[in-house]
């Protein structure tokens, strides 16, 4: 769990900053780790260090638990003798990312709950309520209105073939998961994320914020630019941005500035390029990258809050239209019957 890793990193930074040797600090931390799996991992890392391996080398044995950013920053801290400072910076980075994810999930929780409940109510209406009410129209010797016929057909479809619909939805999800694992599928999905009108700008801001935060932290801890770019490109979690960083890295090896190299890819926002160029000219690239990450994280959070504030009324409106259609479809034949009686 990322929360467990973040908490361990903060505690380890505090203990090493207080003068504890690394092995002693890990010994003190092990009883505090509640997760059995993570406790076992940290115990094996401690044993590996006791056997003579470096902390970064021990972390490399568990790539699914510790990210490339984590391992490379620890390696840089060990080589420069500033491991406690690096651990504090890592804890800061992970806490900020965790807090942002928590706020995003909290903002999306209400719309997601409304979507699930609304879908469940709609299925209940179509499977149980509508057939009961429309059963009175079965013996009518008149043509039902088109909306009523459509509603009855849709209800029969759900009632008779709901299991096929569930299998189709599950199959679609499995297909998308497998398709995403292929190189072509990952590229198409990431491109769709960046180019879609609604989530495209948000995806770009979050990816650029992760890239900038990682690159700034790596450079501040003495990691070479090319190596830092190679690590940071994967943190962005987008194939198109990773390819753009690859192209920029080749330009940087030829002596071109990072800002100018990224501007040629046309994937990064103009603000990103401008802030990086200012950072390069003022010799404060690391600080400018961290500032840029703060800017894009705040913009992304504001965008999410705005979207979710509009999403709830839109969902209510959609449910109102659907329920209104159902009521109208049921009432139309009744109105026609009353007219014939008169």
């Amino acid at each position: 769990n990322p929360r467990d890793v973040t908490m361990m990193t903060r505690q380890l930074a505090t203990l090493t900053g207080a003068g504890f040797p690394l092995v002693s600090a890990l010994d003190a931390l092990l009883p505090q780790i509640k997760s059995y799996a993570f406790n076992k991992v940290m115990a094996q890392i401690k044993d590996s260090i006791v056997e003579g391996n470096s902390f970064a080398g021990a972390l490399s044995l568990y790539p699914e638990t510790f990210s490339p950013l984590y391992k490379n920053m620890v390696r840089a801290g060990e080589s420069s003798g500033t491991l406690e400072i690096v651990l504090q910076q890592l804890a800061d980075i992970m806490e900020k990312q965790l807090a942002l994810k928590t706020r995003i999930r909290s903002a999306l929780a209400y719309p997601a709950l409304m979507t699930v409940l609304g879908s469940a109510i709609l299925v209940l209406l179509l499977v149980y309520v509508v057939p009961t009410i429309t059963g009175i129209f079965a013996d009518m010797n008149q043509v039902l209105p088109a909306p009523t016929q459509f509603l009855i057909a849709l209800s029969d479809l759900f009632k008779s073939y709901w299991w096929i619909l569930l299998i189709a939805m599950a199959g679609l999800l499995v297909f998308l998961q497998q398709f995403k694992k292929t190189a072509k599928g990952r590229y198409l999905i990431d491109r769709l994320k960046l180019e879609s009108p609604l989530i495209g700008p948000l995806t770009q801001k979050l990816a650029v914020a992760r890239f900038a935060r990682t690159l700034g932290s790596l450079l501040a801890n003495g990691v070479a630019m090319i190596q830092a770019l190679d690590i940071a490109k994967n943190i962005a979690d987008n194939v198109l941005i990773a390819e753009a960083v690859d192209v920029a890295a080749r330009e940087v090896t030829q002596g071109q500035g990072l800002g100018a190299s990224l501007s040629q890819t046309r994937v990064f926002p103009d603000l990103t390029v401008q802030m990086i160029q200012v950072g390069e000219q003022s010799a404060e690239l690391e600080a400018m990258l961290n500032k840029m990450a703060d800017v894009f994280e705040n913009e992304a959070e504001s965008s999410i809050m705005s979207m979710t504030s509009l999403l709830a009324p839109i969902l209510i409106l959609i449910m109102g239209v659907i329920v209104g259609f159902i009521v109208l479809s049921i009432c139309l034949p009744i109105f026609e019957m009353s007219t014939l009686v008169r």
Side-chain angles (χ1 to χ4, degrees):
N1 191 317
R3 190 178 298 275
D4 294 332
V5 180
T6 302
M7 186 178 300
M8 181 277 297
T9 305
R10 174 61 70 190
Q11 294 172 339
L12 188 60
T14 302
L15 290 173
T16 54
F20 277 68
L22 181 58
V23 175
S24 300
L26 290 173
D27 269 330
L29 277 180
L30 285 176
Q32 311 300 324
I33 300 175
K34 304 302 181 183
S35 169
Y36 173 78
F38 189 46
N39 188 293
K40 185 177 179 180
V41 167
M42 293 308 300
Q44 292 173 347
I45 287 175
K46 188 205 75 170
D47 293 340
S48 180
I49 295 172
V50 171
E51 292 172 0
N53 293 321
S54 66
F55 188 23
L59 294 174
S60 299
L61 301 174
Y62 304 94
E64 295 182 356
T65 305
F66 300 97
S67 65
L69 168 67
Y70 199 106
K71 291 177 287 189
N72 283 276
M73 285 188 65
V74 167
R75 183 176 291 109
E78 285 184 308
S79 62
S80 61
T82 58
L83 181 60
E84 65 279 1
I85 298 175
V86 168
L87 288 172
Q88 290 174 1
Q89 292 177 342
L90 267 173
D92 291 339
I93 292 171
M94 296 173 72
E95 285 171 357
K96 288 181 179 179
Q97 292 178 346
L98 195 60
L100 180 62
K101 288 181 180 179
T102 301
R103 290 195 295 269
I104 291 174
R105 288 174 180 173
S106 299
L108 295 176
Y110 180 63
L113 179 63
M114 288 192 60
T115 302
V116 172
L117 290 178
S119 301
I121 293 172
L122 180 60
V123 171
L124 183 66
L125 287 174
L126 291 174
V127 174
Y128 295 103
V129 179
V130 171
T132 303
I133 298 176
T134 55
I136 62 175
F137 304 139
D139 298 331
M140 292 177 58
N141 295 321
Q142 66 180 49
V143 178
L144 296 175
T148 307
Q149 294 181 22
F150 175 78
L151 180 63
I152 294 175
L154 188 62
S155 177
D156 291 340
L157 177 66
F158 269 87
K159 191 174 181 180
S160 303
Y161 302 104
W162 60 269
W163 55 275
I164 295 180
L165 296 175
L166 287 179
I167 293 175
M169 291 176 61
L172 180 62
L173 290 176
V174 172
F175 170 76
L176 289 176
Q177 289 292 333
Q178 296 299 321
F179 183 65
K180 188 177 180 180
K181 293 179 181 179
T182 65
K184 184 178 180 181
R186 180 68 185 275
Y187 180 85
L188 290 175
I189 292 174
D190 286 350
R191 183 175 179 179
L192 181 63
K193 287 180 181 178
L194 286 179
E195 294 182 354
S196 60
L198 290 178
I199 66 171
L202 177 61
T203 302
Q204 185 186 49
K205 290 173 184 177
L206 290 173
V208 171
R210 286 193 296 266
F211 168 78
R213 182 81 66 193
T214 303
L215 183 61
S217 300
L218 290 170
L219 294 176
N221 286 281
V223 180
M225 173 65 79
I226 303 303
Q227 184 183 0
L229 288 172
D230 187 57
I231 298 168
K233 72 179 182 182
N234 297 317
I235 302 297
D237 195 27
N238 189 282
V239 174
L240 277 75
I241 290 179
E243 291 180 352
V245 174
D246 266 336
V247 173
R250 288 195 293 268
E251 296 293 333
V252 170
T253 57
Q254 298 175 5
Q256 193 169 353
L258 177 60
S261 302
L262 291 176
S263 66
Q264 297 176 5
T265 63
R266 298 186 178 181
V267 174
F268 285 80
D270 293 336
L271 179 61
T272 302
V273 175
Q274 294 169 4
M275 293 184 72
I276 290 177
Q277 289 176 333
V278 170
E280 289 176 321
Q281 293 170 3
S282 60
E284 295 184 355
L285 179 58
E286 297 87 351
M288 192 61 69
L289 286 168
N290 288 323
K291 179 64 177 176
M292 182 171 63
D294 291 335
V295 170
F296 280 105
E297 284 175 357
N298 291 333
E299 288 187 2
E301 187 175 355
S302 299
S303 299
I304 291 171
M305 295 302 178
S306 300
M307 290 172 61
T308 51
S309 63
L310 293 174
L311 194 56
I314 292 174
L315 290 174
I316 293 174
L317 179 62
I318 292 174
M319 286 301 300
V321 170
I322 294 174
V323 173
F325 172 77
I326 293 175
V327 172
L328 179 64
S329 300
I330 294 173
C331 290
L332 278 176
I334 298 176
F335 292 155
E336 290 185 359
M337 290 172 62
S338 63
T339 303
L340 291 175
V341 170
R342 291 179 184 177

